[in-house]
Amino acid sequence: MENITTILKAHSWIPLSRQLVTEIHGLEKLCSDQRPDLASDVGKLQAVSHKLDEFTQAVLAGEIVSYSTIWHDLRNLVGTIMGYCELMEEELEANRLPLHQSLAQLHELCQQLLDKDEDIADISTAEYLPTNKVTGTILIVDDQAESREILRRYLEQGQHNVLEANGGQQMFEILASNDVDLILLDLILPEMHGDELLQQLKLDVHLRAIPVIVVSGNKDRERVILCIEAGAEDYLFKPFNHVLLQARISAGVDRKRLHNKEQLYRDELERNQRFIRSVFGRYLSEEIVSTLLEDPDGLDLGGVQRKVSVLMADIRGFTTISEQLPPQRVVRLLNNYLGTMSEIIMKYNGTVDEFIGDAILAIFGAPITREDDSDRAIRCALEMQAAMDEINERNKREDLPEISMGISINTGPVVAGNIGSEKRAKYGVVGHTVNQTARIEERCEAGCILLSEATVDDCEAVLSIGESRSIQAKGILKEINVFELKGIAPQANGTTESNKEVVKE
């Protein structure tokens, strides 16, 4: 319970309260004469004034003695009265009837009553000192040296590091070279006012997170509203309660520290994603990497059934070549070959599933399915074979042997997804279609591209192909019909599935 001095001073508002109740009771006749449509709001206003009268009597009777309780309840009642007054004044617009003047007088009485709280707000505040003070670097922006000194001394008592600026230009100079946790910004400044400075501050991506508390020497509420709209965290009117100041500063600094931690987390997450893209992008397509980053569930084991076109490529006679070269030279030969082929596959939105020695397994249709998967696989294979001349030119310059490649493409259903264990998994495809592709590739000669009948039927392009021949593959009971791809015609306008052509040689 507060001491007797506090209680006596807390009673200084009572005469204003009684005057307010009396003035409200006089509104009924004015309203019925001039604006009967506002009778409902006047009735509500009188109901609140009745509560205010009862509250005043309870305080005088000693039923309520706590300073904090008195002003909590009183502010609620007075705030409600001010709200009804403002709503009714809006209805009257620019009308200067006596009713309008009475409402304005009520509003003024309410403000005077609330000001009584500010007159005695320093009483018994020691018990409310914050126990979890957060200290930081505070920048005071005020053109009055005396005001800056008072603020600085208060802040230094709270163990804050204090910086000072006399205006906007100096403020931005300090911010350019210091890490500031909070800004105390005077509302009225000679160069640029607080609301304008705030707008400029919030446009800077590096500074916009700094909390700003506006400090005003007069109750220019319109400018305060502009500052809040521009991004100010809070505002204080001078002269201010130093305990309230410390509490608001601690809260602002705490928010800034939390923002800094969140920013560090976001930066770390972005670095991790860049690392994942950089490392795994060498082995997986950008589509797979993006899918795994954007959808954490994509890392779960399992898969889905998809129709894909599977491409397999292999260097002919690689075992003999590798036996004749030192390991370092074999690696160099493979890098020349696999690097070029990977770029071509990704150019056609294929997924490099894996490298098995000199063999490449690529997928068109997973993880993202497109209507032209088989067409892109065919065009990719043609460009891969065309690139062998460039690869061999490079090998020749590096004193490496020339190489040749065979490619097979097969289209059909597979299960695509993450395969392996919880500790080690890879994105890939499994199924009969993959096995068939491998068996077709085994029968492919150097420089040749073999297409399964399923791929020829699935594509939209005008193909030039050889005669069909059947392959009896090991481990596969049914014969596989394959065609040697000779080329592909430029896409004609209006080509659809109904007018697709296959040119057999």
PDB file of all heavy atoms in Angstrom, residues 208-243:
ATOM      1  N   ARG A 208      16.863  -0.201 -40.733  1.00  0.00           N
ATOM      2  CA  ARG A 208      15.434  -0.180 -40.436  1.00  0.00           C
ATOM      3  C   ARG A 208      15.058  -0.999 -39.202  1.00  0.00           C
ATOM      4  O   ARG A 208      13.989  -0.779 -38.619  1.00  0.00           O
ATOM      5  CB  ARG A 208      14.645  -0.682 -41.629  1.00  0.00           C
ATOM      6  CG  ARG A 208      14.923  -2.139 -41.990  1.00  0.00           C
ATOM      7  CD  ARG A 208      14.057  -2.625 -43.146  1.00  0.00           C
ATOM      8  NE  ARG A 208      14.194  -1.794 -44.319  1.00  0.00           N
ATOM      9  CZ  ARG A 208      13.784  -2.163 -45.523  1.00  0.00           C
ATOM     10  NH1 ARG A 208      13.232  -3.352 -45.696  1.00  0.00           N
ATOM     11  NH2 ARG A 208      13.934  -1.361 -46.559  1.00  0.00           N
ATOM     12  N   ALA A 209      15.909  -1.933 -38.786  1.00  0.00           N
ATOM     13  CA  ALA A 209      15.573  -2.775 -37.636  1.00  0.00           C
ATOM     14  C   ALA A 209      15.864  -2.104 -36.302  1.00  0.00           C
ATOM     15  O   ALA A 209      15.487  -2.639 -35.257  1.00  0.00           O
ATOM     16  CB  ALA A 209      16.331  -4.099 -37.724  1.00  0.00           C
ATOM     17  N   ILE A 210      16.536  -0.946 -36.305  1.00  0.00           N
ATOM     18  CA  ILE A 210      16.866  -0.283 -35.047  1.00  0.00           C
ATOM     19  C   ILE A 210      15.592   0.312 -34.446  1.00  0.00           C
ATOM     20  O   ILE A 210      14.920   1.125 -35.085  1.00  0.00           O
ATOM     21  CB  ILE A 210      17.909   0.831 -35.258  1.00  0.00           C
ATOM     22  CG1 ILE A 210      19.190   0.260 -35.880  1.00  0.00           C
ATOM     23  CG2 ILE A 210      18.226   1.523 -33.938  1.00  0.00           C
ATOM     24  CD1 ILE A 210      20.215   1.320 -36.234  1.00  0.00           C
ATOM     25  N   PRO A 211      15.222  -0.060 -33.208  1.00  0.00           N
ATOM     26  CA  PRO A 211      14.029   0.519 -32.578  1.00  0.00           C
ATOM     27  C   PRO A 211      14.215   2.020 -32.333  1.00  0.00           C
ATOM     28  O   PRO A 211      15.315   2.471 -32.010  1.00  0.00           O
ATOM     29  CB  PRO A 211      13.910  -0.244 -31.252  1.00  0.00           C
ATOM     30  CG  PRO A 211      14.777  -1.447 -31.397  1.00  0.00           C
ATOM     31  CD  PRO A 211      15.860  -1.064 -32.353  1.00  0.00           C
ATOM     32  N   VAL A 212      13.143   2.781 -32.504  1.00  0.00           N
ATOM     33  CA  VAL A 212      13.174   4.232 -32.299  1.00  0.00           C
ATOM     34  C   VAL A 212      12.075   4.616 -31.320  1.00  0.00           C
ATOM     35  O   VAL A 212      10.911   4.244 -31.511  1.00  0.00           O
ATOM     36  CB  VAL A 212      12.987   4.996 -33.626  1.00  0.00           C
ATOM     37  CG1 VAL A 212      12.961   6.505 -33.365  1.00  0.00           C
ATOM     38  CG2 VAL A 212      14.100   4.647 -34.611  1.00  0.00           C
ATOM     39  N   ILE A 213      12.457   5.356 -30.264  1.00  0.00           N
ATOM     40  CA  ILE A 213      11.490   5.934 -29.338  1.00  0.00           C
ATOM     41  C   ILE A 213      11.507   7.438 -29.548  1.00  0.00           C
ATOM     42  O   ILE A 213      12.544   8.081 -29.435  1.00  0.00           O
ATOM     43  CB  ILE A 213      11.830   5.594 -27.877  1.00  0.00           C
ATOM     44  CG1 ILE A 213      11.721   4.085 -27.642  1.00  0.00           C
ATOM     45  CG2 ILE A 213      10.888   6.340 -26.917  1.00  0.00           C
ATOM     46  CD1 ILE A 213      12.090   3.650 -26.235  1.00  0.00           C
ATOM     47  N   VAL A 214      10.351   7.999 -29.891  1.00  0.00           N
ATOM     48  CA  VAL A 214      10.243   9.437 -30.134  1.00  0.00           C
ATOM     49  C   VAL A 214      10.076  10.153 -28.794  1.00  0.00           C
ATOM     50  O   VAL A 214       9.270   9.745 -27.957  1.00  0.00           O
ATOM     51  CB  VAL A 214       9.052   9.739 -31.059  1.00  0.00           C
ATOM     52  CG1 VAL A 214       8.846  11.241 -31.187  1.00  0.00           C
ATOM     53  CG2 VAL A 214       9.281   9.112 -32.423  1.00  0.00           C
ATOM     54  N   VAL A 215      10.867  11.223 -28.594  1.00  0.00           N
ATOM     55  CA  VAL A 215      10.784  12.037 -27.388  1.00  0.00           C
ATOM     56  C   VAL A 215      10.285  13.417 -27.798  1.00  0.00           C
ATOM     57  O   VAL A 215      10.914  14.092 -28.621  1.00  0.00           O
ATOM     58  CB  VAL A 215      12.153  12.147 -26.686  1.00  0.00           C
ATOM     59  CG1 VAL A 215      12.026  13.002 -25.431  1.00  0.00           C
ATOM     60  CG2 VAL A 215      12.682  10.760 -26.336  1.00  0.00           C
ATOM     61  N   SER A 216       9.147  13.836 -27.249  1.00  0.00           N
ATOM     62  CA  SER A 216       8.529  15.091 -27.670  1.00  0.00           C
ATOM     63  C   SER A 216       8.513  16.091 -26.527  1.00  0.00           C
ATOM     64  O   SER A 216       8.167  15.760 -25.391  1.00  0.00           O
ATOM     65  CB  SER A 216       7.091  14.834 -28.142  1.00  0.00           C
ATOM     66  OG  SER A 216       6.443  16.049 -28.426  1.00  0.00           O
ATOM     67  N   GLY A 217       8.896  17.340 -26.844  1.00  0.00           N
ATOM     68  CA  GLY A 217       8.869  18.420 -25.865  1.00  0.00           C
ATOM     69  C   GLY A 217       7.490  19.038 -25.731  1.00  0.00           C
ATOM     70  O   GLY A 217       7.216  19.752 -24.764  1.00  0.00           O
ATOM     71  N   ASN A 218       6.620  18.812 -26.689  1.00  0.00           N
ATOM     72  CA  ASN A 218       5.226  19.267 -26.561  1.00  0.00           C
ATOM     73  C   ASN A 218       4.317  18.168 -27.085  1.00  0.00           C
ATOM     74  O   ASN A 218       4.750  17.254 -27.769  1.00  0.00           O
ATOM     75  CB  ASN A 218       4.993  20.570 -27.332  1.00  0.00           C
ATOM     76  CG  ASN A 218       5.322  20.421 -28.809  1.00  0.00           C
ATOM     77  OD1 ASN A 218       4.894  19.475 -29.449  1.00  0.00           O
ATOM     78  ND2 ASN A 218       6.082  21.359 -29.354  1.00  0.00           N
ATOM     79  N   LYS A 219       3.061  18.266 -26.727  1.00  0.00           N
ATOM     80  CA  LYS A 219       2.137  17.186 -27.038  1.00  0.00           C
ATOM     81  C   LYS A 219       1.541  17.367 -28.430  1.00  0.00           C
ATOM     82  O   LYS A 219       0.336  17.558 -28.605  1.00  0.00           O
ATOM     83  CB  LYS A 219       1.061  17.096 -25.973  1.00  0.00           C
ATOM     84  CG  LYS A 219       1.649  16.743 -24.610  1.00  0.00           C
ATOM     85  CD  LYS A 219       0.596  16.421 -23.591  1.00  0.00           C
ATOM     86  CE  LYS A 219       1.254  15.990 -22.283  1.00  0.00           C
ATOM     87  NZ  LYS A 219       0.275  15.625 -21.254  1.00  0.00           N
ATOM     88  N   ASP A 220       2.440  17.331 -29.404  1.00  0.00           N
ATOM     89  CA  ASP A 220       2.028  17.418 -30.800  1.00  0.00           C
ATOM     90  C   ASP A 220       1.636  16.013 -31.263  1.00  0.00           C
ATOM     91  O   ASP A 220       2.423  15.278 -31.863  1.00  0.00           O
ATOM     92  CB  ASP A 220       3.196  17.966 -31.638  1.00  0.00           C
ATOM     93  CG  ASP A 220       2.762  18.288 -33.055  1.00  0.00           C
ATOM     94  OD1 ASP A 220       1.658  17.854 -33.441  1.00  0.00           O
ATOM     95  OD2 ASP A 220       3.519  18.983 -33.757  1.00  0.00           O
ATOM     96  N   ARG A 221       0.412  15.634 -30.936  1.00  0.00           N
ATOM     97  CA  ARG A 221      -0.003  14.248 -31.150  1.00  0.00           C
ATOM     98  C   ARG A 221      -0.054  13.871 -32.640  1.00  0.00           C
ATOM     99  O   ARG A 221       0.170  12.723 -33.002  1.00  0.00           O
ATOM    100  CB  ARG A 221      -1.362  14.000 -30.497  1.00  0.00           C
ATOM    101  CG  ARG A 221      -1.309  14.123 -28.977  1.00  0.00           C
ATOM    102  CD  ARG A 221      -2.614  13.705 -28.330  1.00  0.00           C
ATOM    103  NE  ARG A 221      -2.559  13.902 -26.890  1.00  0.00           N
ATOM    104  CZ  ARG A 221      -2.050  13.030 -26.025  1.00  0.00           C
ATOM    105  NH1 ARG A 221      -1.531  11.914 -26.483  1.00  0.00           N
ATOM    106  NH2 ARG A 221      -2.046  13.276 -24.738  1.00  0.00           N
ATOM    107  N   GLU A 222      -0.356  14.852 -33.489  1.00  0.00           N
ATOM    108  CA  GLU A 222      -0.405  14.545 -34.919  1.00  0.00           C
ATOM    109  C   GLU A 222       0.966  14.103 -35.414  1.00  0.00           C
ATOM    110  O   GLU A 222       1.076  13.160 -36.197  1.00  0.00           O
ATOM    111  CB  GLU A 222      -0.894  15.763 -35.693  1.00  0.00           C
ATOM    112  CG  GLU A 222      -2.373  16.084 -35.472  1.00  0.00           C
ATOM    113  CD  GLU A 222      -2.850  17.200 -36.371  1.00  0.00           C
ATOM    114  OE1 GLU A 222      -2.053  17.663 -37.218  1.00  0.00           O
ATOM    115  OE2 GLU A 222      -4.019  17.613 -36.239  1.00  0.00           O
ATOM    116  N   ARG A 223       2.029  14.816 -34.951  1.00  0.00           N
ATOM    117  CA  ARG A 223       3.379  14.416 -35.363  1.00  0.00           C
ATOM    118  C   ARG A 223       3.766  13.080 -34.751  1.00  0.00           C
ATOM    119  O   ARG A 223       4.464  12.287 -35.370  1.00  0.00           O
ATOM    120  CB  ARG A 223       4.393  15.494 -34.956  1.00  0.00           C
ATOM    121  CG  ARG A 223       4.436  16.666 -35.921  1.00  0.00           C
ATOM    122  CD  ARG A 223       5.713  17.464 -35.698  1.00  0.00           C
ATOM    123  NE  ARG A 223       5.827  18.533 -36.649  1.00  0.00           N
ATOM    124  CZ  ARG A 223       6.321  18.400 -37.881  1.00  0.00           C
ATOM    125  NH1 ARG A 223       6.719  17.221 -38.295  1.00  0.00           N
ATOM    126  NH2 ARG A 223       6.402  19.427 -38.689  1.00  0.00           N
ATOM    127  N   VAL A 224       3.325  12.844 -33.523  1.00  0.00           N
ATOM    128  CA  VAL A 224       3.606  11.554 -32.890  1.00  0.00           C
ATOM    129  C   VAL A 224       2.967  10.433 -33.692  1.00  0.00           C
ATOM    130  O   VAL A 224       3.581   9.381 -33.932  1.00  0.00           O
ATOM    131  CB  VAL A 224       3.100  11.541 -31.431  1.00  0.00           C
ATOM    132  CG1 VAL A 224       3.149  10.119 -30.868  1.00  0.00           C
ATOM    133  CG2 VAL A 224       3.939  12.466 -30.566  1.00  0.00           C
ATOM    134  N   ILE A 225       1.737  10.648 -34.136  1.00  0.00           N
ATOM    135  CA  ILE A 225       1.061   9.638 -34.958  1.00  0.00           C
ATOM    136  C   ILE A 225       1.824   9.395 -36.253  1.00  0.00           C
ATOM    137  O   ILE A 225       1.983   8.247 -36.699  1.00  0.00           O
ATOM    138  CB  ILE A 225      -0.391  10.089 -35.255  1.00  0.00           C
ATOM    139  CG1 ILE A 225      -1.214  10.049 -33.969  1.00  0.00           C
ATOM    140  CG2 ILE A 225      -1.025   9.201 -36.323  1.00  0.00           C
ATOM    141  CD1 ILE A 225      -2.585  10.677 -34.100  1.00  0.00           C
ATOM    142  N   LEU A 226       2.325  10.468 -36.866  1.00  0.00           N
ATOM    143  CA  LEU A 226       3.128  10.310 -38.087  1.00  0.00           C
ATOM    144  C   LEU A 226       4.360   9.460 -37.815  1.00  0.00           C
ATOM    145  O   LEU A 226       4.756   8.622 -38.638  1.00  0.00           O
ATOM    146  CB  LEU A 226       3.549  11.683 -38.622  1.00  0.00           C
ATOM    147  CG  LEU A 226       2.451  12.528 -39.289  1.00  0.00           C
ATOM    148  CD1 LEU A 226       3.001  13.909 -39.646  1.00  0.00           C
ATOM    149  CD2 LEU A 226       1.919  11.839 -40.541  1.00  0.00           C
ATOM    150  N   CYS A 227       4.981   9.675 -36.654  1.00  0.00           N
ATOM    151  CA  CYS A 227       6.181   8.910 -36.303  1.00  0.00           C
ATOM    152  C   CYS A 227       5.851   7.437 -36.086  1.00  0.00           C
ATOM    153  O   CYS A 227       6.601   6.545 -36.522  1.00  0.00           O
ATOM    154  CB  CYS A 227       6.830   9.482 -35.046  1.00  0.00           C
ATOM    155  SG  CYS A 227       7.635  11.076 -35.304  1.00  0.00           S
ATOM    156  N   ILE A 228       4.744   7.157 -35.416  1.00  0.00           N
ATOM    157  CA  ILE A 228       4.343   5.765 -35.206  1.00  0.00           C
ATOM    158  C   ILE A 228       4.068   5.095 -36.542  1.00  0.00           C
ATOM    159  O   ILE A 228       4.470   3.953 -36.793  1.00  0.00           O
ATOM    160  CB  ILE A 228       3.097   5.698 -34.301  1.00  0.00           C
ATOM    161  CG1 ILE A 228       3.418   6.239 -32.894  1.00  0.00           C
ATOM    162  CG2 ILE A 228       2.580   4.267 -34.210  1.00  0.00           C
ATOM    163  CD1 ILE A 228       4.437   5.461 -32.132  1.00  0.00           C
ATOM    164  N   GLU A 229       3.386   5.819 -37.429  1.00  0.00           N
ATOM    165  CA  GLU A 229       3.104   5.264 -38.758  1.00  0.00           C
ATOM    166  C   GLU A 229       4.381   5.052 -39.558  1.00  0.00           C
ATOM    167  O   GLU A 229       4.462   4.154 -40.393  1.00  0.00           O
ATOM    168  CB  GLU A 229       2.158   6.195 -39.521  1.00  0.00           C
ATOM    169  CG  GLU A 229       0.737   6.222 -38.961  1.00  0.00           C
ATOM    170  CD  GLU A 229      -0.148   7.228 -39.672  1.00  0.00           C
ATOM    171  OE1 GLU A 229       0.400   8.108 -40.368  1.00  0.00           O
ATOM    172  OE2 GLU A 229      -1.385   7.150 -39.525  1.00  0.00           O
ATOM    173  N   ALA A 230       5.387   5.896 -39.290  1.00  0.00           N
ATOM    174  CA  ALA A 230       6.664   5.761 -40.011  1.00  0.00           C
ATOM    175  C   ALA A 230       7.532   4.648 -39.444  1.00  0.00           C
ATOM    176  O   ALA A 230       8.541   4.300 -40.043  1.00  0.00           O
ATOM    177  CB  ALA A 230       7.428   7.085 -39.966  1.00  0.00           C
ATOM    178  N   GLY A 231       7.135   4.100 -38.284  1.00  0.00           N
ATOM    179  CA  GLY A 231       7.882   2.956 -37.754  1.00  0.00           C
ATOM    180  C   GLY A 231       8.436   3.111 -36.370  1.00  0.00           C
ATOM    181  O   GLY A 231       9.213   2.254 -35.926  1.00  0.00           O
ATOM    182  N   ALA A 232       8.089   4.187 -35.642  1.00  0.00           N
ATOM    183  CA  ALA A 232       8.583   4.355 -34.280  1.00  0.00           C
ATOM    184  C   ALA A 232       8.014   3.267 -33.377  1.00  0.00           C
ATOM    185  O   ALA A 232       6.856   2.873 -33.497  1.00  0.00           O
ATOM    186  CB  ALA A 232       8.209   5.732 -33.738  1.00  0.00           C
ATOM    187  N   GLU A 233       8.829   2.788 -32.443  1.00  0.00           N
ATOM    188  CA  GLU A 233       8.393   1.764 -31.509  1.00  0.00           C
ATOM    189  C   GLU A 233       7.492   2.336 -30.425  1.00  0.00           C
ATOM    190  O   GLU A 233       6.556   1.679 -29.975  1.00  0.00           O
ATOM    191  CB  GLU A 233       9.623   1.116 -30.843  1.00  0.00           C
ATOM    192  CG  GLU A 233      10.521   0.351 -31.778  1.00  0.00           C
ATOM    193  CD  GLU A 233      10.017  -1.048 -32.044  1.00  0.00           C
ATOM    194  OE1 GLU A 233       9.415  -1.650 -31.145  1.00  0.00           O
ATOM    195  OE2 GLU A 233      10.207  -1.527 -33.174  1.00  0.00           O
ATOM    196  N   ASP A 234       7.792   3.566 -29.977  1.00  0.00           N
ATOM    197  CA  ASP A 234       7.101   4.134 -28.827  1.00  0.00           C
ATOM    198  C   ASP A 234       7.337   5.639 -28.821  1.00  0.00           C
ATOM    199  O   ASP A 234       8.057   6.172 -29.670  1.00  0.00           O
ATOM    200  CB  ASP A 234       7.648   3.516 -27.533  1.00  0.00           C
ATOM    201  CG  ASP A 234       6.608   3.452 -26.430  1.00  0.00           C
ATOM    202  OD1 ASP A 234       5.652   4.258 -26.479  1.00  0.00           O
ATOM    203  OD2 ASP A 234       6.751   2.618 -25.517  1.00  0.00           O
ATOM    204  N   TYR A 235       6.726   6.327 -27.849  1.00  0.00           N
ATOM    205  CA  TYR A 235       6.973   7.754 -27.699  1.00  0.00           C
ATOM    206  C   TYR A 235       6.886   8.130 -26.222  1.00  0.00           C
ATOM    207  O   TYR A 235       6.229   7.460 -25.426  1.00  0.00           O
ATOM    208  CB  TYR A 235       5.987   8.584 -28.521  1.00  0.00           C
ATOM    209  CG  TYR A 235       4.551   8.486 -28.061  1.00  0.00           C
ATOM    210  CD1 TYR A 235       4.042   9.363 -27.093  1.00  0.00           C
ATOM    211  CD2 TYR A 235       3.708   7.516 -28.599  1.00  0.00           C
ATOM    212  CE1 TYR A 235       2.736   9.265 -26.662  1.00  0.00           C
ATOM    213  CE2 TYR A 235       2.394   7.418 -28.173  1.00  0.00           C
ATOM    214  CZ  TYR A 235       1.911   8.288 -27.199  1.00  0.00           C
ATOM    215  OH  TYR A 235       0.625   8.179 -26.770  1.00  0.00           O
ATOM    216  N   LEU A 236       7.587   9.190 -25.863  1.00  0.00           N
ATOM    217  CA  LEU A 236       7.573   9.733 -24.507  1.00  0.00           C
ATOM    218  C   LEU A 236       7.450  11.246 -24.596  1.00  0.00           C
ATOM    219  O   LEU A 236       8.114  11.869 -25.428  1.00  0.00           O
ATOM    220  CB  LEU A 236       8.858   9.374 -23.755  1.00  0.00           C
ATOM    221  CG  LEU A 236       9.028   7.926 -23.289  1.00  0.00           C
ATOM    222  CD1 LEU A 236      10.461   7.697 -22.826  1.00  0.00           C
ATOM    223  CD2 LEU A 236       8.055   7.584 -22.181  1.00  0.00           C
ATOM    224  N   PHE A 237       6.616  11.808 -23.742  1.00  0.00           N
ATOM    225  CA  PHE A 237       6.497  13.259 -23.666  1.00  0.00           C
ATOM    226  C   PHE A 237       7.389  13.787 -22.553  1.00  0.00           C
ATOM    227  O   PHE A 237       7.474  13.195 -21.477  1.00  0.00           O
ATOM    228  CB  PHE A 237       5.038  13.684 -23.403  1.00  0.00           C
ATOM    229  CG  PHE A 237       4.129  13.452 -24.567  1.00  0.00           C
ATOM    230  CD1 PHE A 237       2.989  12.672 -24.447  1.00  0.00           C
ATOM    231  CD2 PHE A 237       4.420  14.021 -25.800  1.00  0.00           C
ATOM    232  CE1 PHE A 237       2.150  12.467 -25.530  1.00  0.00           C
ATOM    233  CE2 PHE A 237       3.587  13.821 -26.883  1.00  0.00           C
ATOM    234  CZ  PHE A 237       2.448  13.040 -26.750  1.00  0.00           C
ATOM    235  N   LYS A 238       8.073  14.902 -22.832  1.00  0.00           N
ATOM    236  CA  LYS A 238       8.878  15.553 -21.807  1.00  0.00           C
ATOM    237  C   LYS A 238       7.978  16.427 -20.921  1.00  0.00           C
ATOM    238  O   LYS A 238       7.034  17.034 -21.430  1.00  0.00           O
ATOM    239  CB  LYS A 238       9.945  16.448 -22.457  1.00  0.00           C
ATOM    240  CG  LYS A 238      10.914  15.738 -23.364  1.00  0.00           C
ATOM    241  CD  LYS A 238      11.854  16.763 -23.992  1.00  0.00           C
ATOM    242  CE  LYS A 238      12.772  16.159 -25.021  1.00  0.00           C
ATOM    243  NZ  LYS A 238      13.637  17.150 -25.686  1.00  0.00           N
ATOM    244  N   PRO A 239       8.265  16.528 -19.627  1.00  0.00           N
ATOM    245  CA  PRO A 239       9.269  15.762 -18.882  1.00  0.00           C
ATOM    246  C   PRO A 239       8.789  14.326 -18.677  1.00  0.00           C
ATOM    247  O   PRO A 239       7.598  14.105 -18.486  1.00  0.00           O
ATOM    248  CB  PRO A 239       9.373  16.505 -17.554  1.00  0.00           C
ATOM    249  CG  PRO A 239       8.042  17.132 -17.371  1.00  0.00           C
ATOM    250  CD  PRO A 239       7.538  17.493 -18.735  1.00  0.00           C
ATOM    251  N   PHE A 240       9.692  13.377 -18.713  1.00  0.00           N
ATOM    252  CA  PHE A 240       9.298  11.984 -18.676  1.00  0.00           C
ATOM    253  C   PHE A 240       9.686  11.345 -17.345  1.00  0.00           C
ATOM    254  O   PHE A 240      10.552  11.824 -16.623  1.00  0.00           O
ATOM    255  CB  PHE A 240       9.957  11.206 -19.820  1.00  0.00           C
ATOM    256  CG  PHE A 240      11.401  11.546 -20.010  1.00  0.00           C
ATOM    257  CD1 PHE A 240      12.380  11.033 -19.178  1.00  0.00           C
ATOM    258  CD2 PHE A 240      11.792  12.404 -21.029  1.00  0.00           C
ATOM    259  CE1 PHE A 240      13.705  11.367 -19.351  1.00  0.00           C
ATOM    260  CE2 PHE A 240      13.125  12.741 -21.209  1.00  0.00           C
ATOM    261  CZ  PHE A 240      14.084  12.225 -20.355  1.00  0.00           C
ATOM    262  N   ASN A 241       9.011  10.266 -17.036  1.00  0.00           N
ATOM    263  CA  ASN A 241       9.326   9.468 -15.856  1.00  0.00           C
ATOM    264  C   ASN A 241      10.537   8.601 -16.159  1.00  0.00           C
ATOM    265  O   ASN A 241      10.516   7.816 -17.105  1.00  0.00           O
ATOM    266  CB  ASN A 241       8.105   8.598 -15.506  1.00  0.00           C
ATOM    267  CG  ASN A 241       8.336   7.737 -14.287  1.00  0.00           C
ATOM    268  OD1 ASN A 241       9.077   6.769 -14.360  1.00  0.00           O
ATOM    269  ND2 ASN A 241       7.681   8.088 -13.198  1.00  0.00           N
ATOM    270  N   HIS A 242      11.599   8.744 -15.358  1.00  0.00           N
ATOM    271  CA  HIS A 242      12.844   8.051 -15.698  1.00  0.00           C
ATOM    272  C   HIS A 242      12.711   6.542 -15.544  1.00  0.00           C
ATOM    273  O   HIS A 242      13.392   5.771 -16.237  1.00  0.00           O
ATOM    274  CB  HIS A 242      14.000   8.576 -14.838  1.00  0.00           C
ATOM    275  CG  HIS A 242      13.955   8.159 -13.405  1.00  0.00           C
ATOM    276  ND1 HIS A 242      13.168   8.792 -12.471  1.00  0.00           N
ATOM    277  CD2 HIS A 242      14.599   7.157 -12.746  1.00  0.00           C
ATOM    278  CE1 HIS A 242      13.325   8.214 -11.286  1.00  0.00           C
ATOM    279  NE2 HIS A 242      14.183   7.215 -11.434  1.00  0.00           N
ATOM    280  N   VAL A 243      11.824   6.080 -14.653  1.00  0.00           N
ATOM    281  CA  VAL A 243      11.615   4.634 -14.518  1.00  0.00           C
ATOM    282  C   VAL A 243      10.939   4.080 -15.768  1.00  0.00           C
ATOM    283  O   VAL A 243      11.312   3.035 -16.311  1.00  0.00           O
ATOM    284  CB  VAL A 243      10.771   4.324 -13.262  1.00  0.00           C
ATOM    285  CG1 VAL A 243      10.503   2.816 -13.165  1.00  0.00           C
ATOM    286  CG2 VAL A 243      11.476   4.820 -12.013  1.00  0.00           C
TER     287      VAL A 243
END
